[in-house]
Amino acid sequence: MSEVKLTQLSHGGGCGCKIAPALLQQILGEAKEKTQFANLLVGTETGDDAAVYRLNEQQAIIATTDFFMPIVDDPFDFGRIAATNALSDVYAMGGTPIMALAIVGMPINKLSVETIRAILQGGESVCQTAGIPLAGGHSIDSPEPIYGLVAIGVVHPDQFKKNSGAQAGDALILGKGLGVGVLAAAFKKGALSEAGYAQMIANTTQLNAVGSKLAAIAGVHAMTDVTGFGLAGHLLGICRGSGLGAEIKFDQVPVLSEALPLARQGYGPGAIDRNLASYGHEIDFAAHLETWQQRILADAQTSGGLLVSADPDAVREVLSHFLQAGFSQAAVIGRAKSGASRLSII
């Protein structure tokens, strides 16, 4: 079988495949209040990272699913990235994964058995690193390659973190640098260096397992992970859920070093434009910011970093956990503030 590259089989890639925020809201409509299921602690109300269901006074189950089309051509790397991204939603709620199921859609007339097997092996390797079984799944014959996981985790009912718990005055901390979408777009156009590819793989396969430790810090009020809607979109989700505004200092926002020159050259996924069209009217950009700076805040991150809203007194402890876990770019990027649910970028 003569195979084409994985990225040539898909119209999009990674979390850039997400439906634009504005269209998604139209599709889903207004979230309904939780009235029938008292033990459903987190549902669809604020677009959080995962559902949380209380089993008893000591245990709650976290359930989530995430899957997408490839942003790389190496099948093993694709599997690793997709699995890391899916498990991140459990960590973003402050939980610990216990099991995963595979979601597999492959064009079986275009990809070899060996390639498909390598994708699954990549996902399984991440589950092994996370210390959980990949216990089954479901597969279909699909026109585009799709892979991801259903991730199941556990958390204490009093310890999980929602995206709607931020408080005015909180410091906002980002765990990973931005620019994955920029790197992926450059890769698809044949403009990404070996160093850029290596940085993209390292970033997208770094598990956000530190989230379970961060959730145990009393001063951490809210968490989410930054994925397809970009930093600005996911921070706006925190703002809307918490009834607050936020201020970001662009110079403090970490950006992946290999993505920086590419972003300045205009590389980026189509998701950037879709994201800005959906929520750009909710952002006040300082006049001195250049177009590329505005765009990278909306760059679709695949397996991006945790975004933490924490009391200023807890910042040192939060950063310490990030650094100990190997997140060298973790940084305070701004603050939550009283007022309308808008972002100010200065």
Side-chain angles (χ1 to χ4, degrees):
M1 180 180 292
S2 177
E3 293 190 2
V4 296
K5 294 180 178 180
L6 288 178
T7 54
Q8 292 177 342
L9 291 173
S10 58
H11 74 280
C15 289
C17 298
K18 278 190 173 183
I19 295 174
L23 179 57
L24 182 62
Q25 184 59 48
Q26 292 178 36
I27 294 171
L28 296 177
E30 295 298 323
K32 296 181 180 180
E33 294 295 326
K34 304 192 302 290
T35 56
Q36 299 180 1
F37 304 96
N39 286 323
L40 181 63
L41 305 179
V42 181
T44 61
E45 296 76 22
T46 60
D48 223 320
D49 296 292
V52 181
Y53 190 91
R54 179 173 51 210
L55 297 177
N56 52 54
E57 292 184 357
Q58 300 297 320
Q59 295 175 309
I61 288 288
I62 299 174
T64 183
T65 182
D66 216 314
F67 51 89
F68 47 59
M69 291 163 280
I71 62 170
V72 295
D73 292 320
D74 184 280
F76 190 77
D77 283 344
F78 171 38
R80 293 169 65 207
I81 293 167
T84 305
N85 179 75
L87 293 178
S88 181
D89 286 339
V90 174
Y91 295 128
M93 302 300 296
T96 301
I98 57 172
M99 181 176 66
L101 305 173
I103 299 170
V104 183
M106 295 292 156
I108 57 174
N109 62 330
K110 296 179 181 178
L111 294 177
S112 68
V113 170
E114 290 75 19
T115 295
I116 297 173
R117 183 185 297 127
I119 294 171
L120 272 60
Q121 288 173 337
E124 187 172 9
S125 73
V126 168
C127 290
Q128 290 175 346
T129 300
I132 63 171
L134 185 53
H138 184 67
S139 61
I140 62 169
D141 183 0
S142 169
E144 296 182 274
I146 297 170
Y147 181 71
L149 300 178
V150 174
I152 307 297
V154 293
V155 70
H156 192 284
D158 296 332
Q159 193 166 296
F160 69 89
K161 300 299 178 182
K162 300 171 65 174
N163 66 355
S164 57
Q167 298 180 16
D170 275 1
L172 299 171
I173 304 161
L174 180 61
K176 292 183 182 181
L178 302 182
V180 171
V182 170
L183 294 174
F187 173 78
K188 199 162 187 176
K189 293 182 178 180
L192 188 63
S193 66
E194 290 185 9
Y197 183 84
Q199 189 174 61
M200 179 172 68
I201 297 301
N203 194 76
T204 55
T205 59
Q206 185 176 19
L207 285 165
N208 281 323
V210 68
S212 58
K213 293 183 178 179
L214 297 178
I217 300 173
V220 170
H221 299 142
M223 277 201 303
T224 190
D225 60 350
V226 178
T227 55
F229 298 155
L231 171 63
H234 290 284
L235 179 51
L236 278 168
I238 288 179
C239 289
R240 296 188 199 104
S242 306
L244 298 171
E247 179 182 271
I248 297 298
K249 295 182 179 179
F250 185 86
D251 289 344
Q252 295 178 195
V253 176
V255 178
L256 296 172
S257 59
E258 294 293 327
L260 194 54
L262 294 167
R264 286 173 169 151
Q265 294 171 47
Y267 284 96
I272 291 178
D273 295 319
R274 295 193 296 272
N275 284 340
L276 287 174
S278 294
Y279 57 64
H281 61 284
E282 299 176 79
I283 305 176
D284 301 313
F285 291 106
H288 69 275
L289 293 175
E290 298 180 33
T291 299
W292 75 266
Q293 293 173 307
Q294 298 178 25
R295 288 175 55 81
I296 204 164
L297 295 175
D299 183 34
Q301 303 304 290
T302 297
S303 190
L306 293 177
L307 178 60
V308 181
S309 181
D311 188 284
D313 291 338
V315 166
R316 179 176 294 183
E317 187 176 2
V318 170
L319 288 176
S320 176
H321 278 297
F322 269 126
L323 293 175
Q324 288 175 22
F327 294 90
S328 60
Q329 284 196 288
V332 177
I333 62 170
R335 65 185 180 92
K337 62 181 184 180
S338 300
S341 299
R342 297 183 60 84
L343 300 185
S344 296
I345 315 297
I346 61 176

